Amino acid sequence: MSGLPTKLVGRSRYRALLGVILASFAGSSLGQSFLQGQPGGLEGTGITCEISKDCVFRRNNDTVVVTERGQLVRRGEAGFTVDVIGRYEEPTLATISGSGNVIAVALVKETTGRRAFSRKMVRPDDLDRSYRIELYNPRSGSLIKSFDLGARAVRNMALSQDGQVLMVAAQDTERRAINELIAFNARSGANVLTERVDDADDVAIGSNGFAFAGKALILDSGASSGGYAVYNSRDPFSIAEYQVECSSTVAGIVDEDADSVGVAQIDDAATQQDAALTDAIGSGLSGSGVRLVERARLREVLEEIQLSTTGLTESEIAIDVGRLGVADYLVFGRADRSERNITVSTRLVSVERGEVNSTCTMICRDCENQDLYEGVLNLAEHWAGS
């Protein structure tokens, strides 16, 4: 297993920083699945640190520390100190995603079991231990998600490059013959993989999966031709995350010199920011080189069409706009809310035939209303693709 990320096999055997290989993982965790692969396909991870002393992580000009006393500390102008441990707990491991958007801390809670003869004479077997992992936003100190592992001790862990997937090698402390590889969706908390292995200590974890016993489980990229990207809010006190996926880019369809694009209304059932989101799409596309129809002119034409004929479909509106020679393509879209997520779906429609030539979707996770404008800008810039 040479050439793979360094293994972490226990506090008594290693007390060092591990595997600093910042490989570029451009794939998507959207599919949330792992494929059988070869150990050579395992990509490097960020720093995984055993907390025998303070763990220091440096990413994107930030310095974040997980202290041996159980505090998450950000040093700098927007600094903070957050307690990550509860009563009877201590931190054991910490790791950060390659993009620096998520930090994970493994914790163990140790209490005296009822079978103990007295508090002064406690044997190791009289101690009850439980394990969990907490994920934090290293820019704001906000808790993202907590994973309760019960009696399964964390032997090693890593985050995917984009911070979307948490991967864990664990051992059941009550039934030591049971060792497992576990992967979670870091945002929803869903368990996306559980795999039994002979020895949890003999597992290498990279930013895209696990390697063990001469084989590997590799995170499925699931990327489409238009590409996939994850953006994090530029607001240091927001944990919003923008996941964008497009069927194809606008640049691959529209002739930048000859064709013009008009942005029709983006219907916003989620936050009632129709005008603002329409402007954000236009701003993002034009900033990437797409030639846009003047918004006032397009609005005038659309109002005339919809006043004269009600109940038109998007395709019919696009064809009518084409007959007037106002634009070559129209953009339509809609925003919808589901729990703390907001999804914006957009379509590029040809005015010649009324056909949808490209689609793009942005999922804003842990999203407040004020986060949405930035997410739509990210969608437009990624979709433009120029």
Side-chain angles (χ1 to χ4, degrees):
M1 297 177 66
S2 60
L4 297 179
T6 308
K7 295 178 290 183
L8 180 63
V9 297
R11 301 189 67 171
S12 61
R13 294 171 65 184
Y14 290 103
R15 295 186 177 182
L17 299 179
L18 303 180
V20 189
I21 310 174
L22 299 179
S24 172
F25 178 52
S28 156
S29 58
L30 195 62
Q32 299 178 3
S33 62
F34 286 78
L35 305 175
Q36 293 284 345
Q38 297 299 317
L42 193 66
E43 296 177 354
T45 184
I47 299 172
T48 301
C49 178
E50 187 173 3
I51 307 177
S52 55
K53 58 181 180 179
D54 293 355
C55 291
V56 181
F57 300 96
R58 294 181 178 87
R59 288 289 189 280
N60 303 330
N61 299 319
D62 283 336
T63 298
V64 181
V65 182
V66 180
T67 72
E68 60 179 325
R69 297 176 58 187
Q71 292 182 317
L72 177 63
V73 180
R74 181 184 179 188
R75 297 171 179 167
E77 185 176 346
F80 58 76
T81 300
V82 176
D83 290 327
V84 300
I85 63 170
R87 194 177 183 188
Y88 305 123
E89 286 185 328
E90 67 172 299
T92 58
L93 299 174
T95 189
I96 194 169
S97 63
S99 60
N101 65 327
V102 180
I103 193 166
V105 183
L107 304 166
V108 58
K109 183 175 183 179
E110 189 174 275
T111 56
T112 304
R114 294 182 179 180
R115 59 187 176 274
F117 181 72
S118 72
R119 290 186 179 274
K120 294 182 180 180
M121 300 177 61
V122 179
R123 299 169 300 176
D125 289 345
D126 294 331
L127 297 175
D128 292 330
R129 296 178 180 87
S130 58
Y131 303 85
R132 66 190 175 97
I133 298 174
E134 290 196 339
L135 304 185
Y136 287 86
N137 180 337
R139 294 166 296 151
S140 65
S142 302
L143 177 67
I144 297 173
K145 190 67 65 177
S146 182
F147 298 93
D148 184 359
L149 299 179
R152 292 177 293 185
V154 180
R155 299 303 186 197
N156 196 357
M157 65 178 182
L159 288 156
S160 61
Q161 174 76 13
D162 58 11
Q164 292 286 299
V165 179
L166 170 67
M167 292 165 284
V168 183
Q171 181 183 55
D172 192 318
T173 56
E174 295 181 352
R175 297 172 293 174
R176 294 185 180 276
I178 296 179
N179 299 277
E180 292 178 325
L181 307 181
I182 313 163
F184 299 96
N185 181 309
R187 288 283 164 173
S188 70
N191 184 323
V192 297
L193 173 74
T194 300
E195 179 86 5
R196 294 280 182 90
V197 293
D198 292 333
D199 186 355
D201 287 342
D202 192 28
V203 174
I205 304 183
S207 62
N208 67 331
F210 306 86
F212 58 97
K215 61 181 180 179
L217 291 172
I218 303 297
L219 191 60
D220 184 11
S221 67
S224 67
S225 59
Y228 166 93
V230 173
Y231 303 87
N232 302 297
S233 174
R234 289 186 285 267
D235 178 356
F237 298 101
S238 171
I239 63 171
E241 183 177 75
Y242 311 110
Q243 179 177 290
V244 180
E245 190 164 18
C246 305
S247 63
S248 57
T249 65
V250 175
I253 297 169
V254 174
D255 186 327
E256 185 177 318
D257 297 322
D259 295 333
S260 60
V261 177
V263 181
Q265 188 76 12
I266 305 299
D267 297 322
D268 180 16
T271 64
Q272 308 304 315
Q273 300 180 62
D274 304 58
L277 299 190
T278 301
D279 289 343
I281 288 285
S283 177
L285 290 174
S286 64
S288 300
V290 177
R291 189 159 64 94
L292 289 185
V293 175
E294 184 182 352
R295 177 68 183 145
R297 172 61 178 148
L298 181 61
R299 186 186 298 115
E300 179 183 321
V301 171
L302 290 173
E303 287 175 355
E304 288 179 7
I305 292 172
Q306 291 176 329
L307 282 174
S308 61
T309 310
T310 59
L312 292 177
T313 65
E314 290 179 357
S315 293
E316 289 168 335
I317 291 171
I319 290 172
D320 281 348
V321 169
R323 288 179 182 140
L324 296 173
V326 177
D328 298 290
Y329 296 88
L330 285 183
V331 173
F332 296 92
R334 179 178 177 82
D336 295 286
R337 179 183 287 279
S338 174
E339 297 180 351
R340 289 185 60 81
N341 297 340
I342 299 177
T343 301
V344 178
S345 301
T346 57
R347 299 164 295 284
L348 181 71
V349 181
S350 165
V351 301
E352 182 178 354
R353 297 185 178 181
E355 295 175 344
V356 177
N357 293 112
S358 178
T359 62
C360 200
T361 300
M362 186 276 296
I363 301 174
C364 181
R365 303 185 186 279
D366 297 305
C367 199
E368 302 294 341
N369 290 355
Q370 63 269 22
D371 298 314
L372 191 55
Y373 185 89
E374 181 185 347
V376 173
L377 277 177
N378 289 330
L379 178 152
E381 291 168 1
H382 183 78
W383 194 19
S386 58

